[in-house]
Amino acid sequence: MAPAKPRSAVVFGVIALVLIGLNLRAGITGASALLHDLQSVLGYGALVAAIIPSIPTLCFAVAGAATSWLSGKVGVEKAILLSLALLAGGLLLRGIPATGMLVAGSVVGMSGLAICNVAMPSFIREHFASRTSLMTAVYTVTMTTGGTLTSVLVVPLAQALGSPSAAVGAVGIAAVAAFLGFLPVALHAHRNAAPATGLRVSPWPLLRTRKGQLLTAIFALQALLAYALLSWFPYMLTTMGLSASDSGLMFGLMQLVSVPAGMVLIAIGSRPRMLRPAFYLVSITMAVGILALLVLPVELAAVPAVLLGFGLGIFPLVMVMISRSGTSTAETTALSTLAQSSGYLLATVGPFGMGLLHSATGGWILPLVLLLALALVQIVVSHLITGRAMTGKPAGAAPVRAADGRK
C-alpha cells in the first residue's frame, strides 16, 4: 500500500480536478454555440461545417488510444500535464480568424482533451481511491458547469469582441489556468515517483471480454448522442427560427440540467439494486427528449432542453463504472482507453452524420429519427450492463455502492 498523501497534496489534487473539469467541455460547447456565426464570418462550406463538430470525437478516438501507452511511459500525472498544454495551445490557436487555424487548433486542442479524458479515471482511482464516486461526481459536475457557462457566455462575448474567432480563442485562457493549477500535482508526483515497473495492460484484448464490450457499447452510445446534441443543438434551434442568443440560452439550460441530473443519478445508483433503474431512467428520458425535439414547436424548446439535459446525466454513471473497474490503475487505464477510444470512434458518426444529413435533406427530421433509434438501443445496453454478470464484477453496481470511502 502506498503511504498516505500529505494534506497539501490532496488539496492541490482537488483544486486541479476542479480546474480540469471546468475545461473538459468548454472547448467543445464554446465552438458549438458559435458554429453558425463562424461559418458566416469565415465562409467555409457544408463539408467543413460537418467536419468541425466531428473533430472532438475523432481526436478522442485517435489520441485517446495512445493514452495507455503514454501513461505507462511517463506516468498519469505527466500525461495529464501534457494534455493540458495541448488543450490550451489548441484553443488559443482557434482565436486566429482563419478556417485553417480553426481546424488545426481544434485538432490540437481536442487531442489534448482526449488524453485528459482517458487519463482522468485513472488519476481519480490513484489519488482518491476511497472517494472514487464522490470525486467522479465533482469532476463531472465541474465539467458540465464549465460547458454550461461557456455556452451561455460565449455568444455575448463574441458580440462584445466583435469576432466569433476571438471568443472561441478566449476559452483557452481557462485551459492555461488548468495547466498552471495541475503543475504542482505533476511536480509532486515526479518528486515522489516510485521506481518504474513497466507495468502496462494492453486495452485491446479486453475488447474480447464481456466487461470490455459492454463498457465500450454504453460509452459509444452515450457519447454519440451527447456529442451530436452538443455539436448541433444550438445550430438546430437557430435554423428552426430561434435567435442565436435564445438558442445559446436553451443550450445552456440543457447543460445546466445535466449538472444536478448527474448527481441525482449517482445518488440513485449508489443504493442497493438501484443501478439498473438509474440507467433506465436516464436512457428513457434521453429518448423522450429527442422525441420532444421532433414533435414540439421551437417555441417550446425548453421542454426538450430539460429532458435532454437530464439524459446527458448518464455520463457520471458511466465514468464511475470505468473509474472503479479493473484490479489496478494500469487495468483501469486500459479499460478507459478501450471504452473511450473505441467509443468515441463510433461516436464520430453522430456529429458528422447529423451535419451531412441536414445538408442533404435541408431539415432535422431524419437525423433526429436516427438519434431516437440509437437512444432506444441505449436502453437495451443499459439493461445488459447492469445485469448480474457485470454488477458482480468491479465495473458494475458494487463499485457505485462503494462510494464515499467505505471499504
Side-chain angles (χ1 to χ4, degrees):
M1 280 286 187
K5 290 182 173 61
R7 180 176 293 274
S8 60
V10 175
V11 171
F12 276 118
V14 174
I15 293 172
L17 189 77
V18 171
L19 288 172
I20 290 171
L22 289 172
N23 280 275
L24 290 188
R25 271 192 187 162
I28 300 169
T29 60
S32 297
L34 290 171
L35 279 180
H36 190 272
D37 292 339
L38 286 167
Q39 185 175 10
S40 299
V41 172
L42 299 180
Y44 51 79
L47 180 59
V48 175
I51 289 174
I52 288 174
S54 308
I55 289 174
T57 51
L58 191 58
C59 289
F60 292 171
V62 176
T67 304
S68 181
W69 172 84
L70 180 62
S71 297
K73 286 289 185 181
V74 303
V76 171
E77 295 82 5
K78 290 179 184 176
I80 292 175
L81 189 66
L82 174 61
S83 74
L84 293 173
L86 291 173
L87 175 62
L91 295 185
L92 292 172
L93 189 62
R94 295 198 309 190
I96 300 174
T99 301
M101 293 298 99
L102 176 62
V103 173
S106 295
V107 170
V108 173
M110 296 305 105
S111 295
L113 202 56
I115 297 169
C116 197
N117 270 334
V118 175
M120 283 307 293
S122 298
F123 174 79
I124 291 172
R125 179 190 177 98
E126 192 166 312
H127 288 260
F128 305 102
S130 62
R131 294 285 188 272
T132 306
S133 293
L134 174 62
M135 298 316 296
T136 299
V138 170
Y139 154 64
T140 54
V141 164
T142 53
M143 179 185 71
T144 308
T145 301
T148 302
L149 290 174
T150 304
S151 63
V152 171
L153 297 177
V154 74
V155 173
L157 179 62
Q159 293 170 346
L161 296 175
S163 167
S165 295
V168 295
V171 177
I173 297 172
V176 173
F179 175 86
L180 295 175
F182 192 76
L183 191 57
V185 177
L187 290 174
H188 179 270
H190 176 73
R191 287 194 297 265
N192 296 276
T197 62
L199 177 62
R200 177 176 174 263
V201 177
S202 176
W204 314 118
L206 295 172
L207 191 56
R208 294 195 293 267
T209 67
R210 181 175 176 82
K211 182 194 298 183
Q213 291 167 358
L214 288 176
L215 282 174
T216 300
I218 193 65
F219 195 94
L221 285 165
Q222 66 84 27
L224 190 154
L225 292 167
Y227 282 93
L229 292 168
L230 290 172
S231 298
W232 290 107
F233 186 73
Y235 186 95
M236 193 183 311
L237 296 182
T238 301
T239 57
M240 289 178 178
L242 281 188
S243 66
S245 58
D246 286 342
S247 297
L249 286 175
M250 291 299 101
F251 191 36
L253 174 63
M254 181 179 75
Q255 295 180 85
L256 182 63
V257 170
S258 69
V259 176
M263 299 179 70
V264 167
L265 288 162
I266 285 182
I268 294 173
S270 298
R271 304 171 79 83
R273 295 183 296 279
M274 290 299 291
L275 184 60
R276 176 172 281 175
F279 269 96
Y280 278 161
L281 176 61
V282 70
S283 298
I284 291 171
T285 304
M286 172 62 79
V288 174
I290 296 172
L291 182 62
L293 195 56
L294 262 170
V295 302
L296 293 180
V298 71
E299 291 79 13
L300 297 178
V303 175
V306 170
L307 293 170
L308 294 171
F310 191 90
L312 293 177
I314 191 174
F315 183 76
L317 284 178
V318 176
M319 294 306 290
V320 166
M321 296 181 78
I322 293 175
S323 294
R324 297 302 297 264
S325 64
T327 57
S328 66
T329 299
E331 189 175 344
T332 299
T333 302
L335 282 167
S336 183
T337 299
L338 172 67
Q340 296 202 47
S341 60
S342 301
Y344 279 127
L345 182 61
L346 296 170
T348 303
V349 176
F352 185 69
M354 288 276 286
L356 287 185
L357 287 173
H358 172 64
S359 297
T361 64
W364 296 103
I365 293 178
L366 181 57
L368 288 173
V369 167
L370 292 176
L371 283 188
L372 178 58
L374 289 170
L376 297 177
V377 174
Q378 182 176 286
I379 297 172
V380 176
V381 176
S382 294
H383 175 83
L384 295 175
I385 203 170
T386 52
R388 183 171 298 178
M390 279 293 293
T391 55
K393 305 293 184 183
V400 179
R401 289 197 303 268
D404 302 323
R406 296 182 188 272
K407 300 205 173 185

